[in-house]
Amino acid sequence: GESVGLHLPTLSVQEGDNSIINCAYSNSASDYFIWYKQESGKGPQFIIDIRSNMDKRQGQRVTVLLNKTVKHLSLQIAATQPGDSAVYFCAENNRGATNKLIFGTGTLLAVQP
Amino acid sequence: NAGVTQTPKFRILKIGQSMTLQCTQDMNHNYMYWYRQDPGMGLKLIYYSVGAGITDKGEVPNGYNVSRSTTEDFPLRLELAAPSQTSVYFCASSGTESSPLHFGNGTRLTVT
């Protein structure tokens, strides 16, 4: 069936280093991908999205890369800060499915001072 | 704007009790959603609505009901609470079917 999964459930990085969080998806019909950040006790917060007609999109300190050939998505965070510590979820959507996002299980990013 | 507001933040129910989880948004979004998040898992869609008066089932609708009488409000009803419904429930909204979701801060429900 359709699924979105993460390669690394926990990622520990040093403050100031770059972080890379990976995500695999299985539905080739998915055409919209989103990364969310969830801090403890809060709801997911939108970080960045990318549509399937792109392979890279940049935001402030974050970059999302999409490789449709191998159905892989990654989130790169530059100069990771303690405030980046959170669980990061990728989600996929088939635009014909009324935003019924399929979420991955999440990766915990722990930033060490 | 307050965004998406959920109440209560926490609730403990006994098996068989009922309750309504409230969700309201002040962004005039047509699309609203209810998700549940179990420990160490991603979010699963329970119900969604594309506008006032219209609701539809998501991936895990059993044991829940929703209504959408206004654009702002999208309450989730549990009629006969079961331990399997212990979870954190998130309400979300979006302006269009393909725009990012805005989430509330969740309701943590325990059924014992």
Side-chain angles (χ1 to χ4, degrees), chain B residues 20-23 34 65-69 73-77:
Chain B
T20 299
L21 283 68
Q22 302 291 346
C23 175
W34 274 105
N65 278 300
V66 293
S67 59
R68 186 92 183 273
S69 57
D73 300 307
F74 190 40
L76 178 71
R77 178 87 179 158

Side-chain angles (χ1 to χ4, degrees), chain A residues 4-36:
Chain A
V4 177
L6 298 175
H7 296 306
L8 298 173
T10 304
L11 179 64
S12 184
V13 299
Q14 292 294 123
E15 182 178 356
D17 287 351
N18 296 335
S19 301
I20 300 176
I21 301 172
N22 296 303
C23 177
Y25 66 94
S26 60
N27 184 4
S28 57
S30 293
D31 55 8
Y32 179 53
F33 304 88
I34 313 167
W35 281 100
Y36 284 93

Side-chain angles (χ1 to χ4, degrees), chain B residues 4-24:
Chain B
V4 179
T5 302
Q6 292 184 238
T7 57
K9 286 184 168 49
F10 303 94
R11 184 73 185 269
I12 297 174
L13 284 181
K14 291 189 178 356
I15 294 171
Q17 287 185 318
S18 61
M19 77 163 293
T20 299
L21 283 68
Q22 302 291 346
C23 175
T24 188

Side-chain angles (χ1 to χ4, degrees), chain A residues 36 38 43 46 51 89 99 104, chain B residues 33 37 42 97-99 101 104:
Chain A
Y36 284 93
Q38 187 176 24
F46 170 80
R51 302 203 183 272
F89 292 95
N99 220 357
Chain B
Y33 315 81
Q37 184 178 36
E97 68 175 8
S98 58
S99 54
L101 274 60

Side-chain angles (χ1 to χ4, degrees), chain A residues 39-59:
Chain A
E39 296 174 281
S40 180
K42 295 188 177 180
Q45 178 185 6
F46 170 80
I47 303 173
I48 192 167
D49 58 2
I50 189 167
R51 302 203 183 272
S52 58
N53 60 351
M54 304 172 70
D55 53 20
K56 180 179 180 179
R57 190 162 188 224
Q58 288 185 289

Side-chain angles (χ1 to χ4, degrees), chain B residues 22-78:
Chain B
Q22 302 291 346
C23 175
T24 188
Q25 52 92 8
D26 61 359
M27 298 172 282
N28 202 32
H29 284 170
N30 282 324
Y31 293 78
M32 295 189 74
Y33 315 81
W34 274 105
Y35 286 88
R36 60 177 286 171
Q37 184 178 36
D38 298 323
M41 303 292 288
L43 287 80
K44 292 195 182 296
L45 182 64
I46 305 171
Y47 270 95
Y48 68 99
S49 169
V50 302
I54 306 170
T55 63
D56 207 346
K57 294 178 180 178
E59 185 182 356
V60 289
N62 291 343
Y64 307 94
N65 278 300
V66 293
S67 59
R68 186 92 183 273
S69 57
T70 67
T71 299
E72 295 78 19
D73 300 307
F74 190 40
L76 178 71
R77 178 87 179 158
L78 283 71

Side-chain angles (χ1 to χ4, degrees), chain A residues 40-83:
Chain A
S40 180
K42 295 188 177 180
Q45 178 185 6
F46 170 80
I47 303 173
I48 192 167
D49 58 2
I50 189 167
R51 302 203 183 272
S52 58
N53 60 351
M54 304 172 70
D55 53 20
K56 180 179 180 179
R57 190 162 188 224
Q58 288 185 289
Q60 187 177 11
R61 281 201 308 119
V62 294
T63 300
V64 56
L65 298 177
L66 175 63
N67 185 332
K68 294 182 287 293
T69 302
V70 296
K71 295 179 190 161
H72 185 267
L73 191 69
S74 68
L75 176 70
Q76 299 178 0
I77 304 174
T80 312
Q81 303 167 0

